[in-house]
mmCIF file of all heavy atoms in Angstrom:
data_model
loop_
_atom_site.group_PDB
_atom_site.id
_atom_site.type_symbol
_atom_site.label_atom_id
_atom_site.label_comp_id
_atom_site.label_asym_id
_atom_site.label_seq_id
_atom_site.Cartn_x
_atom_site.Cartn_y
_atom_site.Cartn_z
ATOM 1 N N ARG A 1 -90.695 -30.558 -0.491
ATOM 2 C CA ARG A 1 -90.693 -31.122 0.857
ATOM 3 C C ARG A 1 -90.788 -32.644 0.817
ATOM 4 O O ARG A 1 -91.840 -33.242 0.519
ATOM 5 C CB ARG A 1 -91.809 -30.568 1.702
ATOM 6 C CG ARG A 1 -91.808 -31.208 3.086
ATOM 7 C CD ARG A 1 -92.955 -30.651 3.957
ATOM 8 N NE ARG A 1 -92.949 -31.324 5.232
ATOM 9 C CZ ARG A 1 -93.818 -31.114 6.233
ATOM 10 N NH1 ARG A 1 -94.742 -30.190 6.060
ATOM 11 N NH2 ARG A 1 -93.793 -31.770 7.312
ATOM 12 N N VAL A 2 -89.703 -33.287 1.030
ATOM 13 C CA VAL A 2 -89.562 -34.743 1.083
ATOM 14 C C VAL A 2 -88.904 -35.082 2.432
ATOM 15 O O VAL A 2 -87.749 -34.679 2.567
ATOM 16 C CB VAL A 2 -88.840 -35.334 -0.135
ATOM 17 C CG1 VAL A 2 -88.792 -36.841 -0.053
ATOM 18 C CG2 VAL A 2 -89.532 -34.956 -1.456
ATOM 19 N N SER A 3 -89.556 -35.835 3.267
ATOM 20 C CA SER A 3 -88.927 -36.130 4.550
ATOM 21 C C SER A 3 -88.971 -37.565 4.937
ATOM 22 O O SER A 3 -89.746 -38.354 4.386
ATOM 23 C CB SER A 3 -89.619 -35.244 5.638
ATOM 24 O OG SER A 3 -90.940 -35.594 5.741
ATOM 25 N N GLY A 4 -88.111 -37.957 5.863
ATOM 26 C CA GLY A 4 -88.148 -39.278 6.455
ATOM 27 C C GLY A 4 -87.312 -40.384 5.813
ATOM 28 O O GLY A 4 -87.412 -41.500 6.236
ATOM 29 N N ARG A 5 -86.608 -40.080 4.795
ATOM 30 C CA ARG A 5 -85.852 -41.142 4.050
ATOM 31 C C ARG A 5 -84.763 -41.673 4.945
ATOM 32 O O ARG A 5 -83.909 -40.958 5.451
ATOM 33 C CB ARG A 5 -85.287 -40.530 2.752
ATOM 34 C CG ARG A 5 -84.454 -41.547 1.969
ATOM 35 C CD ARG A 5 -85.346 -42.299 1.022
ATOM 36 N NE ARG A 5 -84.548 -43.225 0.328
ATOM 37 C CZ ARG A 5 -85.009 -43.964 -0.648
ATOM 38 N NH1 ARG A 5 -86.242 -43.854 -1.014
ATOM 39 N NH2 ARG A 5 -84.259 -44.798 -1.306
ATOM 40 N N SER A 6 -84.800 -43.018 5.153
ATOM 41 C CA SER A 6 -83.815 -43.715 5.910
ATOM 42 C C SER A 6 -83.873 -45.165 5.492
ATOM 43 O O SER A 6 -84.635 -45.573 4.680
ATOM 44 C CB SER A 6 -84.030 -43.540 7.414
ATOM 45 O OG SER A 6 -85.165 -44.329 7.814
ATOM 46 N N ASP A 7 -82.929 -45.999 6.007
ATOM 47 C CA ASP A 7 -82.946 -47.427 5.748
ATOM 48 C C ASP A 7 -84.217 -48.050 6.178
ATOM 49 O O ASP A 7 -84.716 -48.988 5.512
ATOM 50 C CB ASP A 7 -81.747 -48.115 6.442
ATOM 51 C CG ASP A 7 -80.450 -47.721 5.790
ATOM 52 O OD1 ASP A 7 -80.431 -47.230 4.626
ATOM 53 O OD2 ASP A 7 -79.389 -47.805 6.462
ATOM 54 N N ASP A 8 -84.807 -47.620 7.301
ATOM 55 C CA ASP A 8 -86.049 -48.182 7.842
ATOM 56 C C ASP A 8 -87.287 -47.619 7.115
ATOM 57 O O ASP A 8 -88.318 -48.237 7.133
ATOM 58 C CB ASP A 8 -86.186 -47.928 9.295
ATOM 59 C CG ASP A 8 -85.074 -48.658 10.125
ATOM 60 O OD1 ASP A 8 -84.558 -49.696 9.632
ATOM 61 O OD2 ASP A 8 -84.851 -48.266 11.236
ATOM 62 N N CYS A 9 -87.167 -46.466 6.560
ATOM 63 C CA CYS A 9 -88.293 -45.780 5.926
ATOM 64 C C CYS A 9 -87.992 -45.553 4.466
ATOM 65 O O CYS A 9 -87.387 -44.530 4.121
ATOM 66 C CB CYS A 9 -88.542 -44.513 6.646
ATOM 67 S SG CYS A 9 -89.006 -44.694 8.372
ATOM 68 N N SER A 10 -88.409 -46.462 3.629
ATOM 69 C CA SER A 10 -88.106 -46.354 2.193
ATOM 70 C C SER A 10 -89.332 -46.311 1.304
ATOM 71 O O SER A 10 -89.212 -46.281 0.118
ATOM 72 C CB SER A 10 -87.180 -47.497 1.760
ATOM 73 O OG SER A 10 -87.797 -48.771 2.027
ATOM 74 N N ARG A 11 -90.552 -46.359 1.916
ATOM 75 C CA ARG A 11 -91.809 -46.360 1.139
ATOM 76 C C ARG A 11 -92.290 -44.946 1.027
ATOM 77 O O ARG A 11 -92.555 -44.273 2.040
ATOM 78 C CB ARG A 11 -92.821 -47.220 1.788
ATOM 79 C CG ARG A 11 -94.115 -47.288 1.043
ATOM 80 C CD ARG A 11 -95.138 -48.171 1.642
ATOM 81 N NE ARG A 11 -96.327 -48.183 0.840
ATOM 82 C CZ ARG A 11 -97.382 -48.899 1.074
ATOM 83 N NH1 ARG A 11 -97.368 -49.742 2.139
ATOM 84 N NH2 ARG A 11 -98.422 -48.858 0.361
ATOM 85 N N ALA A 12 -92.377 -44.401 -0.186
ATOM 86 C CA ALA A 12 -92.874 -43.068 -0.442
ATOM 87 C C ALA A 12 -94.390 -43.047 -0.444
ATOM 88 O O ALA A 12 -95.060 -43.850 -1.144
ATOM 89 C CB ALA A 12 -92.361 -42.517 -1.720
ATOM 90 N N VAL A 13 -95.036 -42.158 0.330
ATOM 91 C CA VAL A 13 -96.489 -41.905 0.314
ATOM 92 C C VAL A 13 -96.663 -40.357 0.264
ATOM 93 O O VAL A 13 -95.742 -39.635 0.545
ATOM 94 C CB VAL A 13 -97.197 -42.479 1.538
ATOM 95 C CG1 VAL A 13 -97.044 -43.999 1.642
ATOM 96 C CG2 VAL A 13 -96.696 -41.869 2.809
ATOM 97 N N VAL A 14 -97.897 -39.975 -0.115
ATOM 98 C CA VAL A 14 -98.206 -38.569 -0.159
ATOM 99 C C VAL A 14 -99.114 -38.298 1.071
ATOM 100 O O VAL A 14 -100.106 -38.942 1.247
ATOM 101 C CB VAL A 14 -98.925 -38.226 -1.459
ATOM 102 C CG1 VAL A 14 -99.363 -36.746 -1.419
ATOM 103 C CG2 VAL A 14 -98.072 -38.505 -2.653
ATOM 104 N N ILE A 15 -98.687 -37.357 1.881
ATOM 105 C CA ILE A 15 -99.457 -36.910 3.018
ATOM 106 C C ILE A 15 -100.231 -35.676 2.609
ATOM 107 O O ILE A 15 -99.666 -34.692 2.165
ATOM 108 C CB ILE A 15 -98.536 -36.550 4.249
ATOM 109 C CG1 ILE A 15 -97.553 -37.693 4.505
ATOM 110 C CG2 ILE A 15 -99.350 -36.184 5.468
ATOM 111 C CD1 ILE A 15 -98.138 -39.005 4.905
ATOM 112 N N ILE A 16 -101.540 -35.732 2.767
ATOM 113 C CA ILE A 16 -102.439 -34.586 2.491
ATOM 114 C C ILE A 16 -103.096 -34.143 3.773
ATOM 115 O O ILE A 16 -103.769 -34.915 4.417
ATOM 116 C CB ILE A 16 -103.481 -34.996 1.478
ATOM 117 C CG1 ILE A 16 -102.809 -35.576 0.192
ATOM 118 C CG2 ILE A 16 -104.356 -33.777 1.099
ATOM 119 C CD1 ILE A 16 -103.730 -36.380 -0.733
ATOM 120 N N ASN A 17 -102.832 -32.929 4.175
ATOM 121 C CA ASN A 17 -103.495 -32.368 5.322
ATOM 122 C C ASN A 17 -104.448 -31.287 4.941
ATOM 123 O O ASN A 17 -104.094 -30.208 4.582
ATOM 124 C CB ASN A 17 -102.419 -31.745 6.246
ATOM 125 C CG ASN A 17 -102.942 -31.291 7.587
ATOM 126 O OD1 ASN A 17 -104.013 -30.660 7.594
ATOM 127 N ND2 ASN A 17 -102.307 -31.572 8.639
ATOM 128 N N PRO A 18 -105.783 -31.648 4.832
ATOM 129 C CA PRO A 18 -106.780 -30.733 4.409
ATOM 130 C C PRO A 18 -106.917 -29.465 5.221
ATOM 131 O O PRO A 18 -107.161 -28.415 4.694
ATOM 132 C CB PRO A 18 -108.069 -31.500 4.429
ATOM 133 C CG PRO A 18 -107.711 -32.900 4.646
ATOM 134 C CD PRO A 18 -106.354 -32.961 5.206
ATOM 135 N N GLU A 19 -106.702 -29.587 6.480
ATOM 136 C CA GLU A 19 -106.859 -28.434 7.366
ATOM 137 C C GLU A 19 -105.776 -27.405 7.141
ATOM 138 O O GLU A 19 -106.032 -26.197 7.050
ATOM 139 C CB GLU A 19 -106.839 -28.903 8.842
ATOM 140 C CG GLU A 19 -107.161 -27.779 9.803
ATOM 141 C CD GLU A 19 -107.307 -28.287 11.265
ATOM 142 O OE1 GLU A 19 -107.565 -29.477 11.465
ATOM 143 O OE2 GLU A 19 -107.123 -27.420 12.140
ATOM 144 N N ALA A 20 -104.556 -27.872 6.936
ATOM 145 C CA ALA A 20 -103.424 -26.965 6.651
ATOM 146 C C ALA A 20 -103.343 -26.585 5.190
ATOM 147 O O ALA A 20 -102.581 -25.724 4.773
ATOM 148 C CB ALA A 20 -102.103 -27.600 7.116
ATOM 149 N N LYS A 21 -104.126 -27.270 4.330
ATOM 150 C CA LYS A 21 -104.166 -27.050 2.874
ATOM 151 C C LYS A 21 -102.798 -27.339 2.290
ATOM 152 O O LYS A 21 -102.273 -26.541 1.491
ATOM 153 C CB LYS A 21 -104.600 -25.611 2.553
ATOM 154 C CG LYS A 21 -106.005 -25.343 2.906
ATOM 155 C CD LYS A 21 -106.917 -25.810 1.828
ATOM 156 C CE LYS A 21 -108.373 -25.280 2.075
ATOM 157 N NZ LYS A 21 -109.316 -25.982 1.201
ATOM 158 N N MET A 22 -102.109 -28.453 2.711
ATOM 159 C CA MET A 22 -100.782 -28.756 2.276
ATOM 160 C C MET A 22 -100.692 -30.277 1.929
ATOM 161 O O MET A 22 -101.383 -31.042 2.578
ATOM 162 C CB MET A 22 -99.772 -28.407 3.346
ATOM 163 C CG MET A 22 -99.610 -26.966 3.617
ATOM 164 S SD MET A 22 -98.568 -26.570 4.997
ATOM 165 C CE MET A 22 -97.120 -27.525 4.710
ATOM 166 N N ALA A 23 -99.818 -30.608 1.014
ATOM 167 C CA ALA A 23 -99.559 -32.010 0.655
ATOM 168 C C ALA A 23 -98.084 -32.121 0.345
ATOM 169 O O ALA A 23 -97.449 -31.241 -0.209
ATOM 170 C CB ALA A 23 -100.379 -32.439 -0.584
ATOM 171 N N TRP A 24 -97.462 -33.246 0.780
ATOM 172 C CA TRP A 24 -96.053 -33.477 0.564
ATOM 173 C C TRP A 24 -95.769 -34.965 0.555
ATOM 174 O O TRP A 24 -96.593 -35.800 0.914
ATOM 175 C CB TRP A 24 -95.231 -32.813 1.634
ATOM 176 C CG TRP A 24 -95.442 -33.411 3.009
ATOM 177 C CD1 TRP A 24 -94.707 -34.384 3.640
ATOM 178 C CD2 TRP A 24 -96.450 -32.944 3.953
ATOM 179 N NE1 TRP A 24 -95.281 -34.592 4.877
ATOM 180 C CE2 TRP A 24 -96.269 -33.797 5.121
ATOM 181 C CE3 TRP A 24 -97.503 -32.037 3.967
ATOM 182 C CZ2 TRP A 24 -97.102 -33.635 6.216
ATOM 183 C CZ3 TRP A 24 -98.303 -31.921 5.056
ATOM 184 C CH2 TRP A 24 -98.136 -32.756 6.173
ATOM 185 N N ILE A 25 -94.577 -35.294 0.063
ATOM 186 C CA ILE A 25 -94.134 -36.723 0.076
ATOM 187 C C ILE A 25 -93.391 -37.023 1.310
ATOM 188 O O ILE A 25 -92.538 -36.204 1.782
ATOM 189 C CB ILE A 25 -93.217 -37.046 -1.195
ATOM 190 C CG1 ILE A 25 -94.046 -36.841 -2.455
ATOM 191 C CG2 ILE A 25 -92.595 -38.396 -1.148
ATOM 192 C CD1 ILE A 25 -93.221 -37.010 -3.731
ATOM 193 N N GLU A 26 -93.639 -38.143 1.915
ATOM 194 C CA GLU A 26 -92.944 -38.529 3.092
ATOM 195 C C GLU A 26 -92.604 -40.023 2.943
ATOM 196 O O GLU A 26 -93.385 -40.796 2.436
ATOM 197 C CB GLU A 26 -93.773 -38.375 4.325
ATOM 198 C CG GLU A 26 -93.008 -38.516 5.601
ATOM 199 C CD GLU A 26 -93.722 -37.842 6.799
ATOM 200 O OE1 GLU A 26 -94.200 -36.716 6.653
ATOM 201 O OE2 GLU A 26 -93.708 -38.484 7.848
ATOM 202 N N TYR A 27 -91.380 -40.357 3.420
ATOM 203 C CA TYR A 27 -90.974 -41.776 3.411
ATOM 204 C C TYR A 27 -91.354 -42.420 4.720
ATOM 205 O O TYR A 27 -91.118 -41.804 5.797
ATOM 206 C CB TYR A 27 -89.483 -41.901 3.193
ATOM 207 C CG TYR A 27 -89.140 -41.646 1.718
ATOM 208 C CD1 TYR A 27 -88.812 -40.371 1.303
ATOM 209 C CD2 TYR A 27 -89.110 -42.657 0.757
ATOM 210 C CE1 TYR A 27 -88.492 -40.099 -0.062
ATOM 211 C CE2 TYR A 27 -88.841 -42.427 -0.544
ATOM 212 C CZ TYR A 27 -88.506 -41.135 -0.940
ATOM 213 O OH TYR A 27 -88.249 -40.902 -2.244
ATOM 214 N N VAL A 28 -92.008 -43.594 4.710
ATOM 215 C CA VAL A 28 -92.479 -44.204 5.874
ATOM 216 C C VAL A 28 -92.027 -45.662 5.840
ATOM 217 O O VAL A 28 -91.476 -46.161 4.858
ATOM 218 C CB VAL A 28 -93.998 -44.150 5.965
ATOM 219 C CG1 VAL A 28 -94.485 -42.750 6.106
ATOM 220 C CG2 VAL A 28 -94.667 -44.819 4.793
ATOM 221 N N SER A 29 -92.228 -46.360 7.008
ATOM 222 C CA SER A 29 -91.911 -47.794 7.039
ATOM 223 C C SER A 29 -92.882 -48.601 6.147
ATOM 224 O O SER A 29 -93.918 -48.030 5.743
ATOM 225 C CB SER A 29 -91.973 -48.332 8.477
ATOM 226 O OG SER A 29 -93.251 -48.164 8.975
ATOM 227 N N GLU A 30 -92.526 -49.782 5.797
ATOM 228 C CA GLU A 30 -93.354 -50.580 4.864
ATOM 229 C C GLU A 30 -94.798 -50.723 5.348
ATOM 230 O O GLU A 30 -95.747 -50.806 4.523
ATOM 231 C CB GLU A 30 -92.695 -51.952 4.600
ATOM 232 C CG GLU A 30 -93.135 -52.636 3.358
ATOM 233 C CD GLU A 30 -92.952 -51.844 2.091
ATOM 234 O OE1 GLU A 30 -91.946 -51.172 1.921
ATOM 235 O OE2 GLU A 30 -93.857 -51.875 1.241
ATOM 236 N N ASP A 31 -94.988 -50.877 6.625
ATOM 237 C CA ASP A 31 -96.344 -51.046 7.196
ATOM 238 C C ASP A 31 -97.053 -49.736 7.554
ATOM 239 O O ASP A 31 -98.180 -49.723 8.059
ATOM 240 C CB ASP A 31 -96.364 -51.987 8.407
ATOM 241 C CG ASP A 31 -95.516 -51.422 9.526
ATOM 242 O OD1 ASP A 31 -94.928 -50.353 9.437
ATOM 243 O OD2 ASP A 31 -95.429 -52.137 10.567
ATOM 244 N N ILE A 32 -96.408 -48.628 7.304
ATOM 245 C CA ILE A 32 -96.924 -47.291 7.514
ATOM 246 C C ILE A 32 -97.411 -47.100 8.956
ATOM 247 O O ILE A 32 -98.361 -46.401 9.267
ATOM 248 C CB ILE A 32 -98.099 -46.916 6.556
ATOM 249 C CG1 ILE A 32 -97.717 -47.344 5.141
ATOM 250 C CG2 ILE A 32 -98.414 -45.415 6.572
ATOM 251 C CD1 ILE A 32 -98.800 -47.106 4.102
ATOM 252 N N ALA A 33 -96.688 -47.670 9.890
ATOM 253 C CA ALA A 33 -97.065 -47.652 11.309
ATOM 254 C C ALA A 33 -97.079 -46.195 11.853
ATOM 255 O O ALA A 33 -97.832 -45.900 12.808
ATOM 256 C CB ALA A 33 -96.103 -48.516 12.135
ATOM 257 N N GLU A 34 -96.244 -45.331 11.304
ATOM 258 C CA GLU A 34 -96.165 -43.945 11.798
ATOM 259 C C GLU A 34 -97.521 -43.231 11.672
ATOM 260 O O GLU A 34 -97.797 -42.318 12.438
ATOM 261 C CB GLU A 34 -95.190 -43.124 10.943
ATOM 262 C CG GLU A 34 -93.767 -43.668 10.953
ATOM 263 C CD GLU A 34 -93.500 -44.713 9.836
ATOM 264 O OE1 GLU A 34 -94.443 -45.339 9.407
ATOM 265 O OE2 GLU A 34 -92.317 -44.854 9.453
ATOM 266 N N TYR A 35 -98.343 -43.633 10.696
ATOM 267 C CA TYR A 35 -99.568 -42.933 10.478
ATOM 268 C C TYR A 35 -100.860 -43.863 10.749
ATOM 269 O O TYR A 35 -101.961 -43.461 10.490
ATOM 270 C CB TYR A 35 -99.693 -42.462 9.042
ATOM 271 C CG TYR A 35 -98.825 -41.223 8.862
ATOM 272 C CD1 TYR A 35 -97.545 -41.345 8.333
ATOM 273 C CD2 TYR A 35 -99.251 -39.981 9.233
ATOM 274 C CE1 TYR A 35 -96.746 -40.253 8.152
ATOM 275 C CE2 TYR A 35 -98.486 -38.844 9.071
ATOM 276 C CZ TYR A 35 -97.207 -39.019 8.591
ATOM 277 O OH TYR A 35 -96.456 -37.916 8.418
ATOM 278 N N ASP A 36 -100.598 -45.003 11.341
ATOM 279 C CA ASP A 36 -101.723 -45.928 11.645
ATOM 280 C C ASP A 36 -102.389 -45.543 12.955
ATOM 281 O O ASP A 36 -102.157 -46.109 13.992
ATOM 282 C CB ASP A 36 -101.133 -47.359 11.733
ATOM 283 C CG ASP A 36 -102.269 -48.357 11.776
ATOM 284 O OD1 ASP A 36 -103.443 -48.043 11.515
ATOM 285 O OD2 ASP A 36 -102.030 -49.537 12.140
ATOM 286 N N LYS A 37 -103.188 -44.504 12.880
ATOM 287 C CA LYS A 37 -103.913 -44.024 14.040
ATOM 288 C C LYS A 37 -105.291 -43.472 13.584
ATOM 289 O O LYS A 37 -105.477 -43.141 12.448
ATOM 290 C CB LYS A 37 -103.151 -42.963 14.833
ATOM 291 C CG LYS A 37 -102.844 -41.689 14.018
ATOM 292 C CD LYS A 37 -102.049 -40.706 14.864
ATOM 293 C CE LYS A 37 -101.781 -39.459 14.032
ATOM 294 N NZ LYS A 37 -100.995 -38.478 14.806
ATOM 295 N N GLU A 38 -106.156 -43.385 14.561
ATOM 296 C CA GLU A 38 -107.455 -42.936 14.193
ATOM 297 C C GLU A 38 -107.447 -41.456 13.687
ATOM 298 O O GLU A 38 -106.680 -40.695 14.185
ATOM 299 C CB GLU A 38 -108.399 -42.994 15.420
ATOM 300 C CG GLU A 38 -109.856 -42.754 15.098
ATOM 301 C CD GLU A 38 -110.764 -43.083 16.292
ATOM 302 O OE1 GLU A 38 -110.376 -43.903 17.114
ATOM 303 O OE2 GLU A 38 -111.815 -42.496 16.290
ATOM 304 N N GLY A 39 -108.241 -41.199 12.697
ATOM 305 C CA GLY A 39 -108.217 -39.854 12.134
ATOM 306 C C GLY A 39 -107.561 -39.733 10.800
ATOM 307 O O GLY A 39 -107.782 -38.861 10.047
ATOM 308 N N ASN A 40 -106.695 -40.722 10.480
ATOM 309 C CA ASN A 40 -106.055 -40.771 9.153
ATOM 310 C C ASN A 40 -106.790 -41.674 8.225
ATOM 311 O O ASN A 40 -107.323 -42.681 8.662
ATOM 312 C CB ASN A 40 -104.602 -41.238 9.322
ATOM 313 C CG ASN A 40 -103.686 -40.244 9.957
ATOM 314 O OD1 ASN A 40 -103.922 -39.063 9.813
ATOM 315 N ND2 ASN A 40 -102.652 -40.647 10.643
ATOM 316 N N VAL A 41 -106.946 -41.304 7.023
ATOM 317 C CA VAL A 41 -107.633 -42.081 5.956
ATOM 318 C C VAL A 41 -106.597 -42.539 4.995
ATOM 319 O O VAL A 41 -105.822 -41.690 4.436
ATOM 320 C CB VAL A 41 -108.718 -41.261 5.261
ATOM 321 C CG1 VAL A 41 -109.371 -42.077 4.231
ATOM 322 C CG2 VAL A 41 -109.677 -40.699 6.343
ATOM 323 N N PHE A 42 -106.558 -43.809 4.668
ATOM 324 C CA PHE A 42 -105.601 -44.367 3.674
ATOM 325 C C PHE A 42 -106.371 -44.679 2.398
ATOM 326 O O PHE A 42 -107.447 -45.243 2.377
ATOM 327 C CB PHE A 42 -105.021 -45.658 4.241
ATOM 328 C CG PHE A 42 -104.070 -45.521 5.399
ATOM 329 C CD1 PHE A 42 -104.650 -45.393 6.636
ATOM 330 C CD2 PHE A 42 -102.730 -45.503 5.252
ATOM 331 C CE1 PHE A 42 -103.803 -45.163 7.746
ATOM 332 C CE2 PHE A 42 -101.919 -45.309 6.330
ATOM 333 C CZ PHE A 42 -102.458 -45.155 7.595
ATOM 334 N N THR A 43 -105.737 -44.295 1.277
ATOM 335 C CA THR A 43 -106.310 -44.645 -0.049
ATOM 336 C C THR A 43 -105.191 -44.658 -1.133
ATOM 337 O O THR A 43 -104.196 -43.990 -0.937
ATOM 338 C CB THR A 43 -107.454 -43.637 -0.413
ATOM 339 O OG1 THR A 43 -108.050 -44.062 -1.684
ATOM 340 C CG2 THR A 43 -106.936 -42.239 -0.557
ATOM 341 N N CYS A 44 -105.531 -45.369 -2.167
ATOM 342 C CA CYS A 44 -104.659 -45.353 -3.364
ATOM 343 C C CYS A 44 -105.423 -44.868 -4.548
ATOM 344 O O CYS A 44 -104.969 -44.998 -5.699
ATOM 345 C CB CYS A 44 -103.960 -46.648 -3.606
ATOM 346 S SG CYS A 44 -105.138 -47.964 -3.998
ATOM 347 N N ASP A 45 -106.683 -44.356 -4.337
ATOM 348 C CA ASP A 45 -107.585 -44.022 -5.390
ATOM 349 C C ASP A 45 -107.688 -42.465 -5.439
ATOM 350 O O ASP A 45 -108.155 -41.820 -4.498
ATOM 351 C CB ASP A 45 -108.921 -44.644 -5.177
ATOM 352 C CG ASP A 45 -109.931 -44.385 -6.228
ATOM 353 O OD1 ASP A 45 -109.516 -44.028 -7.358
ATOM 354 O OD2 ASP A 45 -111.156 -44.489 -5.951
#
């Protein structure tokens, strides 16, 4: 499952949803604005 690849969305991140017990790669915009909302936690560690 890899979604969101387009000219505007070329940065690959891993989305981990603990409640659904699923993780996948998604392409987002460089500033990750799609997921910049309360409730999401960002990390590279």
